[in-house]
Amino acid sequence: MARQKGIFPIQGTIGNVTFFKSKHGYLAREKGGIDASRIATAPEFQRTRENNFEFGRAGKAGKLFRDAFRTLLQKVSDSTVVARLTTEMLKVIKLDNTSTRGQRNVLDGELEMLQGFEANLSSKLSTSFFAPFTATINRVTGVMVTDIPAFVPTVMVAAPSGATHFKISVGGAEIDFENNTFVWDEKATSNLPINNAQTASISLSVNATPASTHPLFLALVIEFLQEVNGINYQLKNGSFNAMALIKIEGV
């Protein structure tokens, strides 16, 4: 590795030499790495190809999931959700005990292990909302229901400073990972005040295709708002909002 000298340091690649900036200054090194065609065909890279196939399959599954839950994730997710979801999908794939290496997939894996996945690590549902709830999925009817008994917001909601109201939403997705399609439904409460008065019981239901043969996912979201002159605004652009997968039924 060589150190660059001169008035105008270079960054980039010229021929077989790569120029770059590091903590040690501007350096240059010979372009290296294994030729892509060799990785794609050589027998000694068979394991690498298998790992790449499965990693790509995990990334594709994660993207489809994010597309299905996009309207909620736009309000909730943090900057790490893409990488974290890909990692979790890869774990699902590796639990496929029927397919050969390189052919393992999410459908033959254990999608239920995604239950509890948090979309925002800086504001988790498990540390923001403490009211008990039940989540049920009826595959025959396609109805997914979340029931929350009456609760006192100041006791059961860990509201951030400045929040005056909150809203509960549920989102349900039926995801066809083979054909890259999904069915989506979403329901929400009205904006509820954060006070000492007990709420009414809450029941939110969303719908998928009756008798679906695809995996079904149900997520719960809490959003925090601040009322100013009668108008509710997302608190700090939604950075305190939380979402988690609360029920999953695989195929």
Side-chain angles (χ1 to χ4, degrees):
M1 188 174 296
R3 185 179 300 275
Q4 296 185 50
K5 291 185 178 180
I7 301 175
F8 305 107
I10 302 171
Q11 294 188 66
T13 300
I14 301 176
N16 290 321
V17 180
T18 298
F19 301 88
F20 63 99
K21 182 181 180 181
S22 75
K23 64 180 180 180
H24 303 295
Y26 288 90
L27 305 176
R29 65 185 173 197
E30 185 176 1
K31 185 178 179 181
I34 302 168
D35 185 80
S37 62
R38 183 182 172 196
I39 294 176
T41 58
E44 63 266 30
F45 289 105
Q46 178 63 28
R47 294 285 87 85
T48 300
R49 290 194 293 274
E50 292 168 354
N51 292 337
N52 287 345
F53 290 150
E54 292 183 353
F55 183 80
R57 205 168 286 126
K60 184 178 179 180
K63 182 181 184 304
L64 181 58
F65 176 91
R66 297 194 312 274
D67 287 344
F69 281 88
R70 182 167 300 279
T71 59
L72 294 184
L73 288 173
Q74 286 178 333
K75 306 174 185 177
V76 178
S77 61
D78 63 18
S79 60
T80 70
V81 71
V82 174
R84 290 191 294 110
L85 190 56
T86 300
T87 297
E88 294 305 308
M89 286 294 185
L90 191 57
K91 292 178 182 178
V92 170
I93 286 172
K94 288 182 177 180
L95 291 175
D96 175 356
N97 294 319
T98 60
S99 306
T100 58
R101 278 187 59 125
Q103 298 301 316
R104 292 179 294 185
N105 60 86
V106 295
L107 289 178
D108 294 318
E110 298 292 336
L111 280 166
E112 289 82 358
M113 71 168 291
L114 293 174
Q115 188 163 311
F117 180 83
E118 297 273 2
N120 185 0
L121 289 184
S122 63
S123 183
K124 297 181 180 180
L125 185 70
S126 59
T127 57
S128 300
F129 187 60
F130 301 101
F133 61 84
T134 58
T136 58
I137 294 176
N138 187 321
R139 184 174 289 278
V140 175
T141 64
V143 178
M144 297 180 271
V145 182
T146 303
D147 288 311
I148 308 172
F151 62 93
V152 176
T154 53
V155 176
M156 292 298 181
V157 176
S161 177
T164 61
H165 291 73
F166 69 101
K167 181 167 68 173
I168 301 293
S169 303
V170 296
E174 168 194 341
I175 302 181
D176 182 349
F177 288 101
E178 291 181 306
N179 295 305
N180 208 44
T181 61
F182 59 85
V183 174
W184 167 255
D185 195 17
E186 177 183 346
K187 293 291 188 303
T189 66
S190 59
N191 296 334
L192 304 172
I194 301 171
N195 57 23
N196 294 316
Q198 191 174 66
T199 68
S201 59
I202 297 169
S203 182
L204 298 171
S205 64
V206 290
N207 297 290
T209 305
S212 171
T213 58
H214 305 301
L216 303 174
F217 300 83
L218 184 62
L220 179 64
V221 172
I222 183 168
E223 298 176 57
F224 294 104
L225 307 116
Q226 184 178 71
E227 185 183 89
V228 178
N229 297 327
I231 301 175
N232 283 295
Y233 298 90
Q234 285 281 344
L235 192 65
K236 290 196 174 180
N237 296 319
S239 61
F240 292 110
N241 296 342
M243 166 183 156
L245 287 173
I246 59 172
K247 190 75 173 178
I248 300 171
E249 187 171 305
V251 293

